[in-house]
Amino acid sequence: MDRRSFLAAAAATFVLPAPATSSSRTLARDPFTLGVASGDPSAGGFVLWTRLALDPLGANGRGAMPSRDIEVQWQLAADERFGKIVRSGTAEARWKDAHSVHVELDGLEPGREYFYRFRAEGRLSPVGRTRTAPTGSTQPLAFAVAACAHYEHGFYTAYRRLAEQEPDLVLFLGDYLYEYGPSGYSALAGRVRTHTPGKCATLADYRLRHAQYKSDADLQRAHATAPWLVSFDDHELENNWAGPVSSTGAPAFAHRRASAFRAYYENMPLRRASLQGAVLRVNRRVSWGTLARFHLLDTRQFRDDQACLDGVRAGCDERLSERRTLLGGDQWRWLSDGLRASTTQWNLLGQQILMMQRDYKRGPGREVNLDAWDGYAAERARLLELMSTTSNPVVLTGDAHMHHSASLKLDFDDPDSPVIAPELVTSSIASDGDGYRDKVWIEEGLAENPHISYIDQRRGYIMARLNAAELSAEFRTLEYISRKGAPAKTTHRVTVPTKAT
Ligand SMILES: [Fe+2]
């Protein structure tokens, strides 16, 4: 029996004793239409997540749920057949939390696989697979890197292919959803399905958009396959927002931001402590034994506004100012302390926007994206200096909607400047549609930026394998997403040996 059949069989035979508190209540339909998920593994546990919705597109982002709290039972098993239950319990799916459930577990065995499922008023959830982090350095890590999944632009075949590879962990680096109304962004990419009406502005709008995205079977499959480490970029709220500043002058932006954060928390396998009033704290560290530590950054919430009115442009001296910050003072101290204190062999910085210098202008002169690290060049230089003393740093990036492989250097314009770290940029899962491969444009880009070795404009994700000797990363690429069923191929491979420290 393959894993899928196992999981189906496990779901079919799920029997729990009837809970005392919901004996007379039943839900009219399956409330698990948004799937299940897990996240933020530690050596002793993880977060289990689900959110109940009888109809993902129900009014006000409420999923057509009754206006009462609902008790949900959960089970954790050591085996796919749920023959050996290791934990079980109940959690409240509260109306005020849009019937989301976050269960944080601890005290489990390190470095092993677990299976979980939920039940609500007699209805059973799909089964999810997750795992705890190991404690030592001998267990290798296979992790996928993904970003940017515009729902209208294509089917989520890349999520399905990623799930089929059964990684230990999925790192998600932003633009999980897009805030625009139907065809509100890059209509050129085509449209295979349609966003819920209107641009997201209220808590109800963001809840509804999350539910629409989560109703996708391929996305559900990817969540049910492995724990995710999620972080957001701009579109979970609004294009190119910066700290307290709306890029569009949206009214009551602080309230809109808090609404987007709340909906994000409700729909993600994040720990309860991440939602701190109006702040959503996603910069955090997750260790994979002594082999690797992820340092997840938030390059959006604490940044200064973009220099020179944002955009891709030349001649902006402000972007070089020593005073400008992308991370904010607190996060900078947290990161620098964490990198200095880290004792793991590898240090993986998961973050949203291109860290490399990226000249988009053909020929003489330079045009850079002021929304990316190029707009915060002095802080980038300080970070690269810091990383030069870090054990085996690797930077993992989203946002670009193109695969990139590059070398981060203290001086990008000096061919002899030492390489500080590789930067691996994943293309999008779906944003910008089928994609293409413009060889002339790519060759020009590589010629302008000699520290970049690979660019690919097609959709995909990165599959990385890490052990004590090396990091091996495969850039996985799909030829189309306007139809279902595209295979994923490895179109480029990067191998990084460990440096002795
Ligand atoms: Fe994006």
Side-chain angles (χ1 to χ4, degrees):
M1 196 183 278
D2 65 13
R3 183 181 297 277
R4 234 169 307 168
S5 312
F6 262 131
L7 297 180
T13 57
F14 182 22
V15 179
L16 274 177
T21 50
S22 61
S23 52
S24 61
R25 306 268 203 182
T26 53
L27 290 165
R29 298 192 297 281
D30 172 22
F32 294 105
T33 58
L34 308 181
V36 299
S38 70
D40 281 28
S42 64
F46 31 69
V47 185
L48 303 180
W49 171 92
T50 193
R51 180 183 159 209
L52 309 182
L54 295 171
D55 171 5
L57 301 186
N60 301 317
R62 287 289 188 181
M65 290 296 291
S67 56
R68 58 183 169 87
D69 298 346
I70 292 176
E71 192 177 272
V72 175
Q73 296 91 46
W74 56 268
Q75 271 187 334
L76 186 77
D79 64 311
E80 290 168 291
R81 294 171 181 276
F82 285 77
K84 192 178 170 209
I85 309 291
V86 293
R87 291 280 181 90
S88 59
T90 60
E92 204 70 14
R94 293 193 174 89
W95 167 258
K96 77 173 182 57
D97 300 326
H99 292 105
S100 59
V101 175
H102 296 76
V103 178
E104 294 184 41
L105 297 179
D106 206 357
L108 301 170
E109 272 180 52
R112 60 154 301 159
E113 199 173 51
Y114 288 95
F115 298 86
Y116 61 95
R117 56 190 177 181
F118 300 90
R119 192 176 79 163
E121 300 186 356
R123 303 282 178 166
L124 309 178
S125 82
V127 173
R129 164 187 176 261
T130 188
R131 61 169 49 246
T132 47
T135 49
S137 65
T138 52
Q139 213 169 319
L141 166 64
F143 66 98
V145 186
C148 297
H150 198 299
Y151 184 80
E152 294 187 328
H153 288 181
F155 295 107
Y156 287 164
T157 318
Y159 276 143
R160 172 155 293 257
R161 299 292 172 247
L162 174 163
E164 287 165 354
Q165 294 198 271
E166 298 195 355
D168 299 320
L169 196 65
V170 176
L171 183 64
F172 193 86
L173 297 175
D175 293 357
Y176 186 88
L177 55 70
Y178 286 71
E179 80 282 16
Y180 301 105
S183 293
Y185 167 60
S186 194
L188 286 177
R191 195 167 89 177
V192 302
R193 43 194 181 177
T194 304
H195 269 166
T196 52
K199 183 176 176 179
C200 293
T202 66
L203 179 56
D205 295 338
Y206 287 109
R207 281 174 167 164
L208 179 61
R209 190 61 60 80
H210 273 282
Q212 180 178 37
Y213 275 58
K214 275 273 177 11
S215 67
D216 182 277
D218 294 332
L219 174 55
Q220 289 186 14
R221 174 93 180 268
H223 274 299
T225 297
W228 285 38
L229 297 181
V230 297
S231 62
F232 58 80
D233 190 20
D234 54 338
H235 288 288
E236 287 87 349
L237 167 51
E238 178 199 58
N239 182 49
N240 283 16
W241 63 280
V245 181
S246 163
S247 65
T248 61
F253 185 68
H255 186 256
R256 182 178 299 207
R257 193 177 91 159
S259 298
F261 284 173
R262 178 166 183 81
Y264 187 84
Y265 167 76
E266 288 173 348
N267 285 279
M268 291 292 170
L270 284 167
R271 293 183 185 274
R272 266 184 298 276
S274 57
L275 189 61
Q276 302 170 1
V279 171
L280 184 62
R281 183 72 64 175
V282 296
N283 62 290
R284 60 203 190 279
R285 283 185 270 274
V286 169
S287 295
W288 201 258
T290 53
L291 179 68
R293 185 164 297 161
F294 289 89
H295 306 257
L296 267 96
L297 307 187
D298 174 347
T299 57
R300 196 55 65 178
Q301 190 174 185
F302 309 112
R303 68 158 73 190
D304 290 334
D305 198 8
Q306 291 90 350
C308 305
L309 300 175
D310 204 358
V312 175
R313 62 180 81 238
C316 173
D317 289 341
E318 189 192 343
R319 75 182 184 91
L320 307 173
S321 165
E322 291 286 334
R323 291 191 303 277
R324 292 179 54 69
T325 181
L326 186 65
L327 299 176
D330 287 351
Q331 186 178 198
W332 170 265
R333 280 185 289 281
W334 168 87
L335 177 61
S336 55
D337 290 350
L339 288 176
R340 284 199 188 94
S342 178
T343 52
T344 55
Q345 191 166 15
W346 293 91
N347 286 281
L348 310 169
L349 279 76
Q351 56 98 45
Q352 291 75 25
I353 50 175
L354 285 194
M355 193 177 284
M356 69 186 80
Q357 178 174 290
R358 177 76 164 94
D359 178 8
Y360 290 91
K361 188 175 190 311
R362 286 164 57 180
R366 177 172 295 156
E367 289 179 0
V368 299
N369 180 3
L370 296 168
D371 185 59
W373 280 91
D374 271 327
Y376 304 79
E379 189 166 274
R380 171 175 63 194
R382 288 194 292 275
L383 177 54
L384 290 172
E385 286 281 2
L386 177 63
M387 282 163 55
S388 69
T389 61
T390 300
S391 176
N392 295 295
V394 178
V395 175
L396 303 160
T397 303
D399 187 50
H401 303 183
M402 295 179 202
H403 287 319
H404 289 69
S405 175
S407 296
L408 296 173
K409 306 171 81 167
L410 290 178
D411 183 350
F412 290 94
D413 297 322
D414 175 3
D416 297 326
S417 183
V419 174
I420 304 299
E423 181 175 18
L424 308 177
V425 183
T426 187
S427 185
S428 62
I429 291 290
S431 305
D432 288 340
D434 276 343
Y436 53 94
R437 195 157 162 72
D438 181 339
K439 288 197 173 131
V440 173
W441 189 89
I442 290 170
E443 273 163 28
E444 287 171 354
L446 297 178
E448 293 294 327
N449 301 274
H451 49 281
I452 304 178
S453 55
Y454 172 64
I455 300 174
D456 199 312
Q457 300 142 311
R458 293 169 293 186
R459 308 287 72 84
Y461 59 95
I462 296 171
M463 190 68 181
R465 290 178 181 79
L466 191 65
N467 60 34
E470 64 177 30
L471 167 74
S472 167
E474 294 176 352
F475 288 86
R476 306 280 292 166
T477 310
L478 288 78
E479 291 289 342
Y480 56 89
I481 55 166
S482 54
R483 292 168 288 129
K484 294 186 176 180
K489 294 179 185 151
T490 298
T491 46
H492 189 68
R493 191 187 304 264
V494 173
T495 303
V496 183
T498 355
K499 279 181 278 192
T501 52

